[in-house]
Amino acid sequence: MASLAQDPRRAALLRLVARGALVAALLISGLVLRAWLSSGTELDHAEEARSGGDLEAAIDHYRRAAVWYFPGNVRATHALEALIEIGEDARQRGDATLALAAFRSVHAATMSARHVVVPHDDLRLEADEAIAALMAEGQVPPVDAHRTVEDRRALYLSMLREDRDVSTAWALVALLGFASWVASAATFLSRGFDDHGELLAPEARRWGTGFILGMGLFLLGLALA
């Protein structure tokens, strides 16, 4: 009779796990859908403003479209490429203010999308080089007045590069935390219960602690990478 009573507990646990996985999948799908739709809306506004000659508004909307980045979101990529084009066109016309606005939008958007890896590194590097060159050639602050144009360009680029680079150590912490999190959860489900579905307290404490610590390391690594 005890075994019959305990088997439903294991079945109930499996149903709970399945429901949790379904909720997580739905949540992630909802976030991806929102990012896709929002980036599309901002991209449409940007194209409309650009075709109407309002490049400042176009830059703002392109930046917002690029912020909604997730792997595979071609709309964000298109927005960044359009910002590079606007910046280069403005630079050729001698409009340094507009060019800087466009290139800085590329830097800002890609930085906001940074996680364990940095997406669109080639476009960001192109934008950073343009920002450094424009700043070096423009109005120079007194603290840098004694430097040559090339020295200023190199200095500004190094500062942008420092801001852009991901911390390898914290990225590894995030990956380690994710692996620990998943492994501990799987081990908890396989070893945390005996054959009758009863919770094994020592195993549950051990792998439950590993699950919590792994999730904590994962979130900490993402935040500081």
Side-chain angles (χ1 to χ4, degrees), residues 71-116:
N73 187 358
V74 295
R75 293 173 170 178
T77 303
H78 177 72
L80 292 173
E81 292 172 345
L83 286 169
I84 293 289
E85 290 177 1
I86 293 175
E88 290 295 346
D89 289 343
R91 191 177 181 183
Q92 292 176 8
R93 296 195 309 271
D95 190 345
T97 301
L98 187 67
L100 276 172
F103 291 129
R104 283 170 174 165
S105 291
V106 173
H107 181 91
T110 50
M111 282 298 296
S112 68
R114 183 178 67 168
H115 45 289
V116 175

Side-chain angles (χ1 to χ4, degrees), residues 13 18 26 43 58 62 68 71 84 86 88 93 100 160-161 163 181 184 210 218-219 223:
L13 175 64
L26 290 174
L43 190 59
Y62 278 131
W68 289 103
I84 293 289
I86 293 175
E88 290 295 346
R93 296 195 309 271
L100 276 172
L160 289 165
R161 290 284 298 178
D163 184 34
W181 168 23
S184 296
F218 175 69
L219 295 175

Side-chain angles (χ1 to χ4, degrees), residues 1-13 15 195-197:
M1 294 294 294
S3 178
L4 291 176
Q6 290 157 355
D7 285 340
R9 293 181 191 152
R10 175 168 293 185
L13 175 64
R15 286 195 298 271
D195 294 337
H196 303 294

